[in-house]
Amino acid sequence: MNDAASAPTPAPAPRRARVRAPELIGKGGWINTGGKDLKLADFRGRVLILDFWTFCCINCLHVLDELRELEEKHRDTVVIVGMHSPKFVHEAEHQAVVDAVERYQVHHPVLDDPELATWKQYAVRAWPTLVVIDPEGYIVAQHAGEGHAHAIERLVEELEAEHAAKGTLRRGDGPYVAPEPVATDLRFPGKALLLPSGNFLVSDSTRHQLVELEPDGESVVRRIGDGEFNEPQGLALLPDGRVAVADTVNHAIRVYDPVSGAIELLAGTGKQWMQGSPTSGPAREVSLSSPWDVAWWDGRLWIAMAGVHQLWTYDPEAGTVQVAAGTTNEGLVDGPVAQAWFAQPSGLAAGGDRLWIADSETSAVRFVDRDMRVHTAVGTGLFDFGHRDGEAGQALLQHPLGVTALPDGSVAISDTYNHALRRFDPATNEVTTLATDLREPSGAVLVGDDIMVVESARHRLTRLRLPEEAVRVEAVAHRTQRAATEVAPGAFRLDVVFQAPSGQKLDTRYGPSTRLLVSATPEELLLTGGGAGTDLTRELELNPEITEGVLHVSAMAASCDDDPANEYPACHVHQQDWGVPVRVTEGGASRLPLVLAGLDQQ
């Protein structure tokens, strides 16, 4: 036998990372472990991936889907632990986290960290963030944002080889314990639609089906779908009698015919839209990104494209889709549709001369008018939320997922994280509360003088009589729990740190491969340095007269496989948006580093 052929393959050189991973802490406790509390020592010998997420965040949901293949392929060497780190007050409720773990079919242990204790220990700055820990308990990489599964896959293979050679790799079953299934007709329903027959059609999201119910809203007529849907959400009746379905996790729009039972693909390729992909064209040839709701308005099907913070439209005559509003930047900016910013639009309703929008991450209700301009009716931005009635400029919502146009021109709001049904009346510019003690209402449909509310976390439809007068509730206001970064006034340097993952290089074939967009809330916080550019380093000047605010940073970099022998290297886009709360104070930091992609820790 040839000696060279029989010699063992040398293990990769040990990585230089020697940063010990902090302990995992969370007062909410562990989920999906059968009641067992876990410590870092319990994962020794395995590659541990910490996924810092919160269930309101669409990018976090994308990462959950990205990790599923890696989780299955390396199930005997890799353990993923979800570190639930809430943004909204509702997300700090333990039962809400338990519900979200089931709703989004998280098949690994999750630690509920309502006080962000572990988030702070690991110096995390953005949702989602992935931290890779080697079998000896040392941090080896950190990735912010989505789209890093390919880099983590390569790193996992290197760590497996290295620690198998060292004898420090332990194979076997992980600590995941599946919860007991619960028998209900609906499981985390998303949206509902009143059919011409008088029956209701409901998207049964967690079971990946549609369910038709009798007019009582309870008795099941039929279940629809056998593998065609993946967490469907929004429903809209089309002029031809068919129903458009936002097939959210399949990144597609399908149509269902209630008469024939046929299900067809209307739009989408089944792949998630990424930066650089086409934004218009034949509907089945253009990728979409987590469509969450649909509505027929102004002769077109409008799509709430939650995954990229935009509205798209489908033109039935041309058979095409295109971007209709939004820039993909996350935030709250009104004006012409091409310049507007949204933040995870999740609900749509046609209301005469307005298309109403539940813009969930800004806790806002907004609308598009016939002049194709975007306006905000209720809401102020990404970090202000609560439950407060009154004049619209002062009223507060908390992550609404649904809007329902009412006959008098007002709009009912499924105020999801406040467990309430609210109403905005353009005639009085007032917000009132119609009902409380709902459980995560995610949509509602008008039925005569009643309104049928989708109580998603109670797995049912609930019929309410629309009252003549709203119920007043005690006002509560909140800001996001993330601690503010203390920064110095005046000259300030922003560094977005990016290093192409191992085996890749920056793609400069067609010009600069990076982009940086900077803005602030309030706008007066930034004296200079705002706007777009290609350099990932930016000199800013902060206004000393503004003591608190939020820096909004959006960064993108493109990299390709660095293999001269490969004529067609695979290319990847790395993108992340940050909203960094800052407090301007003498003695604060004069530099803010943000990590865009995974860096091997040195």
Side-chain angles (χ1 to χ4, degrees), residues 114-134:
E115 297 179 347
L116 304 181
T118 303
W119 167 287
K120 296 171 185 174
Q121 289 286 342
Y122 281 80
V124 175
R125 293 185 181 274
W127 294 280
T129 290
L130 298 171
V131 177
V132 182
I133 300 172
D134 74 11

mmCIF file with all atom_site columns, all heavy atoms in Angstrom, residues 114-134:
data_model
loop_
_atom_site.group_PDB
_atom_site.id
_atom_site.type_symbol
_atom_site.label_atom_id
_atom_site.label_alt_id
_atom_site.label_comp_id
_atom_site.label_asym_id
_atom_site.label_entity_id
_atom_site.label_seq_id
_atom_site.pdbx_PDB_ins_code
_atom_site.Cartn_x
_atom_site.Cartn_y
_atom_site.Cartn_z
_atom_site.occupancy
_atom_site.B_iso_or_equiv
_atom_site.pdbx_formal_charge
_atom_site.auth_seq_id
_atom_site.auth_comp_id
_atom_site.auth_asym_id
_atom_site.auth_atom_id
_atom_site.pdbx_PDB_model_num
ATOM 1   N N   . PRO A 1 114 ? -35.109 37.444 29.298 1.00 0.00 ? 114 PRO A N   1
ATOM 2   C CA  . PRO A 1 114 ? -35.915 38.671 29.205 1.00 0.00 ? 114 PRO A CA  1
ATOM 3   C C   . PRO A 1 114 ? -35.158 39.932 29.594 1.00 0.00 ? 114 PRO A C   1
ATOM 4   O O   . PRO A 1 114 ? -35.532 41.032 29.189 1.00 0.00 ? 114 PRO A O   1
ATOM 5   C CB  . PRO A 1 114 ? -37.082 38.402 30.159 1.00 0.00 ? 114 PRO A CB  1
ATOM 6   C CG  . PRO A 1 114 ? -36.550 37.402 31.132 1.00 0.00 ? 114 PRO A CG  1
ATOM 7   C CD  . PRO A 1 114 ? -35.620 36.535 30.345 1.00 0.00 ? 114 PRO A CD  1
ATOM 8   N N   . GLU A 1 115 ? -34.106 39.819 30.386 1.00 0.00 ? 115 GLU A N   1
ATOM 9   C CA  . GLU A 1 115 ? -33.351 40.990 30.830 1.00 0.00 ? 115 GLU A CA  1
ATOM 10  C C   . GLU A 1 115 ? -32.105 41.243 29.973 1.00 0.00 ? 115 GLU A C   1
ATOM 11  O O   . GLU A 1 115 ? -31.278 42.103 30.310 1.00 0.00 ? 115 GLU A O   1
ATOM 12  C CB  . GLU A 1 115 ? -32.965 40.831 32.295 1.00 0.00 ? 115 GLU A CB  1
ATOM 13  C CG  . GLU A 1 115 ? -34.180 40.749 33.225 1.00 0.00 ? 115 GLU A CG  1
ATOM 14  C CD  . GLU A 1 115 ? -33.796 40.555 34.675 1.00 0.00 ? 115 GLU A CD  1
ATOM 15  O OE1 . GLU A 1 115 ? -32.614 40.243 34.946 1.00 0.00 ? 115 GLU A OE1 1
ATOM 16  O OE2 . GLU A 1 115 ? -34.673 40.718 35.544 1.00 0.00 ? 115 GLU A OE2 1
ATOM 17  N N   . LEU A 1 116 ? -31.948 40.484 28.892 1.00 0.00 ? 116 LEU A N   1
ATOM 18  C CA  . LEU A 1 116 ? -30.813 40.639 27.968 1.00 0.00 ? 116 LEU A CA  1
ATOM 19  C C   . LEU A 1 116 ? -29.470 40.454 28.667 1.00 0.00 ? 116 LEU A C   1
ATOM 20  O O   . LEU A 1 116 ? -28.463 41.054 28.280 1.00 0.00 ? 116 LEU A O   1
ATOM 21  C CB  . LEU A 1 116 ? -30.853 42.009 27.283 1.00 0.00 ? 116 LEU A CB  1
ATOM 22  C CG  . LEU A 1 116 ? -32.129 42.365 26.507 1.00 0.00 ? 116 LEU A CG  1
ATOM 23  C CD1 . LEU A 1 116 ? -31.997 43.747 25.881 1.00 0.00 ? 116 LEU A CD1 1
ATOM 24  C CD2 . LEU A 1 116 ? -32.427 41.345 25.438 1.00 0.00 ? 116 LEU A CD2 1
ATOM 25  N N   . ALA A 1 117 ? -29.434 39.592 29.670 1.00 0.00 ? 117 ALA A N   1
ATOM 26  C CA  . ALA A 1 117 ? -28.190 39.397 30.421 1.00 0.00 ? 117 ALA A CA  1
ATOM 27  C C   . ALA A 1 117 ? -27.096 38.780 29.554 1.00 0.00 ? 117 ALA A C   1
ATOM 28  O O   . ALA A 1 117 ? -25.954 39.265 29.533 1.00 0.00 ? 117 ALA A O   1
ATOM 29  C CB  . ALA A 1 117 ? -28.468 38.512 31.644 1.00 0.00 ? 117 ALA A CB  1
ATOM 30  N N   . THR A 1 118 ? -27.420 37.713 28.833 1.00 0.00 ? 118 THR A N   1
ATOM 31  C CA  . THR A 1 118 ? -26.409 37.065 28.001 1.00 0.00 ? 118 THR A CA  1
ATOM 32  C C   . THR A 1 118 ? -26.106 37.894 26.768 1.00 0.00 ? 118 THR A C   1
ATOM 33  O O   . THR A 1 118 ? -24.959 37.934 26.284 1.00 0.00 ? 118 THR A O   1
ATOM 34  C CB  . THR A 1 118 ? -26.862 35.646 27.615 1.00 0.00 ? 118 THR A CB  1
ATOM 35  O OG1 . THR A 1 118 ? -27.115 34.901 28.810 1.00 0.00 ? 118 THR A OG1 1
ATOM 36  C CG2 . THR A 1 118 ? -25.810 34.919 26.804 1.00 0.00 ? 118 THR A CG2 1
ATOM 37  N N   . TRP A 1 119 ? -27.103 38.589 26.222 1.00 0.00 ? 119 TRP A N   1
ATOM 38  C CA  . TRP A 1 119 ? -26.888 39.540 25.111 1.00 0.00 ? 119 TRP A CA  1
ATOM 39  C C   . TRP A 1 119 ? -25.766 40.510 25.478 1.00 0.00 ? 119 TRP A C   1
ATOM 40  O O   . TRP A 1 119 ? -24.856 40.769 24.686 1.00 0.00 ? 119 TRP A O   1
ATOM 41  C CB  . TRP A 1 119 ? -28.213 40.266 24.867 1.00 0.00 ? 119 TRP A CB  1
ATOM 42  C CG  . TRP A 1 119 ? -28.212 41.478 24.002 1.00 0.00 ? 119 TRP A CG  1
ATOM 43  C CD1 . TRP A 1 119 ? -27.722 42.709 24.318 1.00 0.00 ? 119 TRP A CD1 1
ATOM 44  C CD2 . TRP A 1 119 ? -28.762 41.607 22.686 1.00 0.00 ? 119 TRP A CD2 1
ATOM 45  N NE1 . TRP A 1 119 ? -27.932 43.594 23.294 1.00 0.00 ? 119 TRP A NE1 1
ATOM 46  C CE2 . TRP A 1 119 ? -28.572 42.944 22.275 1.00 0.00 ? 119 TRP A CE2 1
ATOM 47  C CE3 . TRP A 1 119 ? -29.410 40.729 21.833 1.00 0.00 ? 119 TRP A CE3 1
ATOM 48  C CZ2 . TRP A 1 119 ? -29.002 43.423 21.049 1.00 0.00 ? 119 TRP A CZ2 1
ATOM 49  C CZ3 . TRP A 1 119 ? -29.851 41.204 20.601 1.00 0.00 ? 119 TRP A CZ3 1
ATOM 50  C CH2 . TRP A 1 119 ? -29.644 42.530 20.204 1.00 0.00 ? 119 TRP A CH2 1
ATOM 51  N N   . LYS A 1 120 ? -25.821 41.057 26.693 1.00 0.00 ? 120 LYS A N   1
ATOM 52  C CA  . LYS A 1 120 ? -24.801 42.022 27.135 1.00 0.00 ? 120 LYS A CA  1
ATOM 53  C C   . LYS A 1 120 ? -23.454 41.341 27.354 1.00 0.00 ? 120 LYS A C   1
ATOM 54  O O   . LYS A 1 120 ? -22.403 41.903 27.017 1.00 0.00 ? 120 LYS A O   1
ATOM 55  C CB  . LYS A 1 120 ? -25.277 42.710 28.408 1.00 0.00 ? 120 LYS A CB  1
ATOM 56  C CG  . LYS A 1 120 ? -26.526 43.557 28.209 1.00 0.00 ? 120 LYS A CG  1
ATOM 57  C CD  . LYS A 1 120 ? -27.100 44.039 29.540 1.00 0.00 ? 120 LYS A CD  1
ATOM 58  C CE  . LYS A 1 120 ? -28.419 44.783 29.337 1.00 0.00 ? 120 LYS A CE  1
ATOM 59  N NZ  . LYS A 1 120 ? -29.070 45.137 30.633 1.00 0.00 ? 120 LYS A NZ  1
ATOM 60  N N   . GLN A 1 121 ? -23.445 40.135 27.906 1.00 0.00 ? 121 GLN A N   1
ATOM 61  C CA  . GLN A 1 121 ? -22.189 39.415 28.144 1.00 0.00 ? 121 GLN A CA  1
ATOM 62  C C   . GLN A 1 121 ? -21.434 39.158 26.851 1.00 0.00 ? 121 GLN A C   1
ATOM 63  O O   . GLN A 1 121 ? -20.194 39.183 26.825 1.00 0.00 ? 121 GLN A O   1
ATOM 64  C CB  . GLN A 1 121 ? -22.472 38.080 28.851 1.00 0.00 ? 121 GLN A CB  1
ATOM 65  C CG  . GLN A 1 121 ? -22.901 38.204 30.293 1.00 0.00 ? 121 GLN A CG  1
ATOM 66  C CD  . GLN A 1 121 ? -21.748 38.564 31.219 1.00 0.00 ? 121 GLN A CD  1
ATOM 67  O OE1 . GLN A 1 121 ? -20.593 38.413 30.869 1.00 0.00 ? 121 GLN A OE1 1
ATOM 68  N NE2 . GLN A 1 121 ? -22.075 39.060 32.401 1.00 0.00 ? 121 GLN A NE2 1
ATOM 69  N N   . TYR A 1 122 ? -22.183 38.913 25.776 1.00 0.00 ? 122 TYR A N   1
ATOM 70  C CA  . TYR A 1 122 ? -21.548 38.624 24.485 1.00 0.00 ? 122 TYR A CA  1
ATOM 71  C C   . TYR A 1 122 ? -21.424 39.873 23.615 1.00 0.00 ? 122 TYR A C   1
ATOM 72  O O   . TYR A 1 122 ? -21.036 39.775 22.449 1.00 0.00 ? 122 TYR A O   1
ATOM 73  C CB  . TYR A 1 122 ? -22.346 37.549 23.740 1.00 0.00 ? 122 TYR A CB  1
ATOM 74  C CG  . TYR A 1 122 ? -22.070 36.145 24.242 1.00 0.00 ? 122 TYR A CG  1
ATOM 75  C CD1 . TYR A 1 122 ? -22.672 35.669 25.404 1.00 0.00 ? 122 TYR A CD1 1
ATOM 76  C CD2 . TYR A 1 122 ? -21.192 35.298 23.568 1.00 0.00 ? 122 TYR A CD2 1
ATOM 77  C CE1 . TYR A 1 122 ? -22.416 34.394 25.879 1.00 0.00 ? 122 TYR A CE1 1
ATOM 78  C CE2 . TYR A 1 122 ? -20.930 34.012 24.030 1.00 0.00 ? 122 TYR A CE2 1
ATOM 79  C CZ  . TYR A 1 122 ? -21.546 33.573 25.187 1.00 0.00 ? 122 TYR A CZ  1
ATOM 80  O OH  . TYR A 1 122 ? -21.291 32.306 25.646 1.00 0.00 ? 122 TYR A OH  1
ATOM 81  N N   . ALA A 1 123 ? -21.750 41.051 24.165 1.00 0.00 ? 123 ALA A N   1
ATOM 82  C CA  . ALA A 1 123 ? -21.629 42.335 23.460 1.00 0.00 ? 123 ALA A CA  1
ATOM 83  C C   . ALA A 1 123 ? -22.352 42.310 22.111 1.00 0.00 ? 123 ALA A C   1
ATOM 84  O O   . ALA A 1 123 ? -21.857 42.813 21.108 1.00 0.00 ? 123 ALA A O   1
ATOM 85  C CB  . ALA A 1 123 ? -20.164 42.704 23.263 1.00 0.00 ? 123 ALA A CB  1
ATOM 86  N N   . VAL A 1 124 ? -23.541 41.720 22.113 1.00 0.00 ? 124 VAL A N   1
ATOM 87  C CA  . VAL A 1 124 ? -24.333 41.658 20.882 1.00 0.00 ? 124 VAL A CA  1
ATOM 88  C C   . VAL A 1 124 ? -24.971 43.018 20.631 1.00 0.00 ? 124 VAL A C   1
ATOM 89  O O   . VAL A 1 124 ? -25.410 43.701 21.562 1.00 0.00 ? 124 VAL A O   1
ATOM 90  C CB  . VAL A 1 124 ? -25.415 40.559 21.006 1.00 0.00 ? 124 VAL A CB  1
ATOM 91  C CG1 . VAL A 1 124 ? -26.327 40.547 19.789 1.00 0.00 ? 124 VAL A CG1 1
ATOM 92  C CG2 . VAL A 1 124 ? -24.742 39.197 21.182 1.00 0.00 ? 124 VAL A CG2 1
ATOM 93  N N   . ARG A 1 125 ? -25.036 43.435 19.376 1.00 0.00 ? 125 ARG A N   1
ATOM 94  C CA  . ARG A 1 125 ? -25.586 44.742 19.027 1.00 0.00 ? 125 ARG A CA  1
ATOM 95  C C   . ARG A 1 125 ? -26.791 44.665 18.089 1.00 0.00 ? 125 ARG A C   1
ATOM 96  O O   . ARG A 1 125 ? -27.417 45.689 17.837 1.00 0.00 ? 125 ARG A O   1
ATOM 97  C CB  . ARG A 1 125 ? -24.508 45.607 18.361 1.00 0.00 ? 125 ARG A CB  1
ATOM 98  C CG  . ARG A 1 125 ? -23.373 46.010 19.275 1.00 0.00 ? 125 ARG A CG  1
ATOM 99  C CD  . ARG A 1 125 ? -22.434 46.966 18.561 1.00 0.00 ? 125 ARG A CD  1
ATOM 100 N NE  . ARG A 1 125 ? -21.314 47.360 19.387 1.00 0.00 ? 125 ARG A NE  1
ATOM 101 C CZ  . ARG A 1 125 ? -21.327 48.365 20.254 1.00 0.00 ? 125 ARG A CZ  1
ATOM 102 N NH1 . ARG A 1 125 ? -22.432 49.070 20.417 1.00 0.00 ? 125 ARG A NH1 1
ATOM 103 N NH2 . ARG A 1 125 ? -20.261 48.672 20.959 1.00 0.00 ? 125 ARG A NH2 1
ATOM 104 N N   . ALA A 1 126 ? -27.085 43.485 17.518 1.00 0.00 ? 126 ALA A N   1
ATOM 105 C CA  . ALA A 1 126 ? -28.125 43.442 16.488 1.00 0.00 ? 126 ALA A CA  1
ATOM 106 C C   . ALA A 1 126 ? -28.841 42.103 16.517 1.00 0.00 ? 126 ALA A C   1
ATOM 107 O O   . ALA A 1 126 ? -28.267 41.073 16.882 1.00 0.00 ? 126 ALA A O   1
ATOM 108 C CB  . ALA A 1 126 ? -27.509 43.676 15.110 1.00 0.00 ? 126 ALA A CB  1
ATOM 109 N N   . TRP A 1 127 ? -30.108 42.151 16.141 1.00 0.00 ? 127 TRP A N   1
ATOM 110 C CA  . TRP A 1 127 ? -30.871 40.921 15.880 1.00 0.00 ? 127 TRP A CA  1
ATOM 111 C C   . TRP A 1 127 ? -30.831 40.651 14.381 1.00 0.00 ? 127 TRP A C   1
ATOM 112 O O   . TRP A 1 127 ? -31.093 41.581 13.588 1.00 0.00 ? 127 TRP A O   1
ATOM 113 C CB  . TRP A 1 127 ? -32.333 41.103 16.277 1.00 0.00 ? 127 TRP A CB  1
ATOM 114 C CG  . TRP A 1 127 ? -32.600 41.282 17.727 1.00 0.00 ? 127 TRP A CG  1
ATOM 115 C CD1 . TRP A 1 127 ? -32.666 40.307 18.683 1.00 0.00 ? 127 TRP A CD1 1
ATOM 116 C CD2 . TRP A 1 127 ? -32.914 42.509 18.410 1.00 0.00 ? 127 TRP A CD2 1
ATOM 117 N NE1 . TRP A 1 127 ? -32.981 40.859 19.906 1.00 0.00 ? 127 TRP A NE1 1
ATOM 118 C CE2 . TRP A 1 127 ? -33.140 42.221 19.759 1.00 0.00 ? 127 TRP A CE2 1
ATOM 119 C CE3 . TRP A 1 127 ? -33.023 43.846 18.004 1.00 0.00 ? 127 TRP A CE3 1
ATOM 120 C CZ2 . TRP A 1 127 ? -33.469 43.183 20.706 1.00 0.00 ? 127 TRP A CZ2 1
ATOM 121 C CZ3 . TRP A 1 127 ? -33.344 44.816 18.940 1.00 0.00 ? 127 TRP A CZ3 1
ATOM 122 C CH2 . TRP A 1 127 ? -33.562 44.485 20.271 1.00 0.00 ? 127 TRP A CH2 1
ATOM 123 N N   . PRO A 1 128 ? -30.576 39.472 13.916 1.00 0.00 ? 128 PRO A N   1
ATOM 124 C CA  . PRO A 1 128 ? -30.046 38.331 14.661 1.00 0.00 ? 128 PRO A CA  1
ATOM 125 C C   . PRO A 1 128 ? -28.514 38.378 14.698 1.00 0.00 ? 128 PRO A C   1
ATOM 126 O O   . PRO A 1 128 ? -27.891 39.017 13.853 1.00 0.00 ? 128 PRO A O   1
ATOM 127 C CB  . PRO A 1 128 ? -30.516 37.140 13.820 1.00 0.00 ? 128 PRO A CB  1
ATOM 128 C CG  . PRO A 1 128 ? -30.501 37.693 12.407 1.00 0.00 ? 128 PRO A CG  1
ATOM 129 C CD  . PRO A 1 128 ? -30.887 39.148 12.512 1.00 0.00 ? 128 PRO A CD  1
ATOM 130 N N   . THR A 1 129 ? -27.930 37.711 15.681 1.00 0.00 ? 129 THR A N   1
ATOM 131 C CA  . THR A 1 129 ? -26.479 37.519 15.746 1.00 0.00 ? 129 THR A CA  1
ATOM 132 C C   . THR A 1 129 ? -26.205 36.058 16.075 1.00 0.00 ? 129 THR A C   1
ATOM 133 O O   . THR A 1 129 ? -26.862 35.486 16.946 1.00 0.00 ? 129 THR A O   1
ATOM 134 C CB  . THR A 1 129 ? -25.842 38.434 16.800 1.00 0.00 ? 129 THR A CB  1
ATOM 135 O OG1 . THR A 1 129 ? -25.905 39.794 16.352 1.00 0.00 ? 129 THR A OG1 1
ATOM 136 C CG2 . THR A 1 129 ? -24.380 38.081 17.030 1.00 0.00 ? 129 THR A CG2 1
ATOM 137 N N   . LEU A 1 130 ? -25.254 35.479 15.370 1.00 0.00 ? 130 LEU A N   1
ATOM 138 C CA  . LEU A 1 130 ? -24.849 34.090 15.596 1.00 0.00 ? 130 LEU A CA  1
ATOM 139 C C   . LEU A 1 130 ? -23.439 34.072 16.164 1.00 0.00 ? 130 LEU A C   1
ATOM 140 O O   . LEU A 1 130 ? -22.536 34.735 15.630 1.00 0.00 ? 130 LEU A O   1
ATOM 141 C CB  . LEU A 1 130 ? -24.890 33.293 14.290 1.00 0.00 ? 130 LEU A CB  1
ATOM 142 C CG  . LEU A 1 130 ? -26.271 33.174 13.621 1.00 0.00 ? 130 LEU A CG  1
ATOM 143 C CD1 . LEU A 1 130 ? -26.131 32.563 12.238 1.00 0.00 ? 130 LEU A CD1 1
ATOM 144 C CD2 . LEU A 1 130 ? -27.214 32.334 14.470 1.00 0.00 ? 130 LEU A CD2 1
ATOM 145 N N   . VAL A 1 131 ? -23.244 33.313 17.235 1.00 0.00 ? 131 VAL A N   1
ATOM 146 C CA  . VAL A 1 131 ? -21.928 33.156 17.853 1.00 0.00 ? 131 VAL A CA  1
ATOM 147 C C   . VAL A 1 131 ? -21.578 31.672 17.817 1.00 0.00 ? 131 VAL A C   1
ATOM 148 O O   . VAL A 1 131 ? -22.372 30.835 18.248 1.00 0.00 ? 131 VAL A O   1
ATOM 149 C CB  . VAL A 1 131 ? -21.917 33.671 19.301 1.00 0.00 ? 131 VAL A CB  1
ATOM 150 C CG1 . VAL A 1 131 ? -20.555 33.423 19.957 1.00 0.00 ? 131 VAL A CG1 1
ATOM 151 C CG2 . VAL A 1 131 ? -22.245 35.165 19.337 1.00 0.00 ? 131 VAL A CG2 1
ATOM 152 N N   . VAL A 1 132 ? -20.385 31.352 17.292 1.00 0.00 ? 132 VAL A N   1
ATOM 153 C CA  . VAL A 1 132 ? -19.934 29.963 17.205 1.00 0.00 ? 132 VAL A CA  1
ATOM 154 C C   . VAL A 1 132 ? -18.906 29.704 18.305 1.00 0.00 ? 132 VAL A C   1
ATOM 155 O O   . VAL A 1 132 ? -17.939 30.463 18.448 1.00 0.00 ? 132 VAL A O   1
ATOM 156 C CB  . VAL A 1 132 ? -19.319 29.662 15.822 1.00 0.00 ? 132 VAL A CB  1
ATOM 157 C CG1 . VAL A 1 132 ? -18.908 28.193 15.728 1.00 0.00 ? 132 VAL A CG1 1
ATOM 158 C CG2 . VAL A 1 132 ? -20.305 30.013 14.709 1.00 0.00 ? 132 VAL A CG2 1
ATOM 159 N N   . ILE A 1 133 ? -19.133 28.641 19.081 1.00 0.00 ? 133 ILE A N   1
ATOM 160 C CA  . ILE A 1 133 ? -18.260 28.264 20.193 1.00 0.00 ? 133 ILE A CA  1
ATOM 161 C C   . ILE A 1 133 ? -17.714 26.868 19.921 1.00 0.00 ? 133 ILE A C   1
ATOM 162 O O   . ILE A 1 133 ? -18.471 25.955 19.564 1.00 0.00 ? 133 ILE A O   1
ATOM 163 C CB  . ILE A 1 133 ? -19.045 28.292 21.524 1.00 0.00 ? 133 ILE A CB  1
ATOM 164 C CG1 . ILE A 1 133 ? -19.584 29.711 21.763 1.00 0.00 ? 133 ILE A CG1 1
ATOM 165 C CG2 . ILE A 1 133 ? -18.184 27.833 22.686 1.00 0.00 ? 133 ILE A CG2 1
ATOM 166 C CD1 . ILE A 1 133 ? -20.535 29.800 22.938 1.00 0.00 ? 133 ILE A CD1 1
ATOM 167 N N   . ASP A 1 134 ? -16.409 26.699 20.081 1.00 0.00 ? 134 ASP A N   1
ATOM 168 C CA  . ASP A 1 134 ? -15.796 25.407 19.734 1.00 0.00 ? 134 ASP A CA  1
ATOM 169 C C   . ASP A 1 134 ? -16.011 24.382 20.848 1.00 0.00 ? 134 ASP A C   1
ATOM 170 O O   . ASP A 1 134 ? -16.513 24.709 21.931 1.00 0.00 ? 134 ASP A O   1
ATOM 171 C CB  . ASP A 1 134 ? -14.319 25.593 19.371 1.00 0.00 ? 134 ASP A CB  1
ATOM 172 C CG  . ASP A 1 134 ? -13.415 25.860 20.563 1.00 0.00 ? 134 ASP A CG  1
ATOM 173 O OD1 . ASP A 1 134 ? -13.861 25.716 21.724 1.00 0.00 ? 134 ASP A OD1 1
ATOM 174 O OD2 . ASP A 1 134 ? -12.246 26.227 20.345 1.00 0.00 ? 134 ASP A OD2 1
#
